[in-house]
Amino acid sequence: QANEILMQLVFNEEEITLTVEDDGIGFDEQQISVERNGWKNIRSRVDYLKGVVHLHSHPNEGTSVTIQFLKEILVKTDNERTF
């Protein structure tokens, strides 16, 4: 139910950050089950790569999800990547 979605991928010297924001209806973060398949799968994949997920949402205010990874974890060698 969002009118706009913003996706941003930022690479810097130490980390890679993906942010997705929308202006949708949002939700109460305290009411969402982190064990639902969507969130469970996202968190599992991010945990596997030793990343961090930040979720911010409030009813009628949209949602923002930021995922951060350290580059040194993602890059095994110059020629081999974990994904």
Side-chain angles (χ1 to χ4, degrees):
Q1 296 184 1
N3 291 315
E4 293 185 12
I5 297 173
L6 169 69
M7 294 179 64
Q8 182 178 27
L9 184 61
V10 177
F11 294 82
N12 65 35
E13 294 288 323
E14 298 174 1
E15 66 185 18
I16 299 170
T17 303
L18 171 66
T19 302
V20 180
E21 298 177 346
D22 71 35
D23 64 349
I25 61 172
F27 54 88
D28 183 347
E29 291 178 47
Q30 304 303 317
Q31 300 291 327
I32 191 169
S33 170
V34 295
E35 292 304 314
R36 295 184 72 171
N37 277 344
W39 284 112
K40 186 176 180 180
N41 289 339
I42 290 170
R43 289 187 187 277
S44 174
R45 291 179 174 128
V46 172
D47 287 346
Y48 175 77
L49 295 171
K50 301 186 180 356
V52 179
V53 178
H54 300 281
L55 169 66
H56 300 285
S57 187
H58 297 286
N60 303 312
E61 293 184 19
T63 301
S64 173
V65 178
T66 300
I67 301 173
Q68 296 173 297
F69 301 102
L70 292 177
K71 274 189 179 178
E72 65 186 41
I73 300 297
L74 294 178
V75 180
K76 289 182 177 179
T77 66
D78 289 341
N79 296 320
E80 182 182 353
R81 298 192 184 272
T82 59
F83 56 95

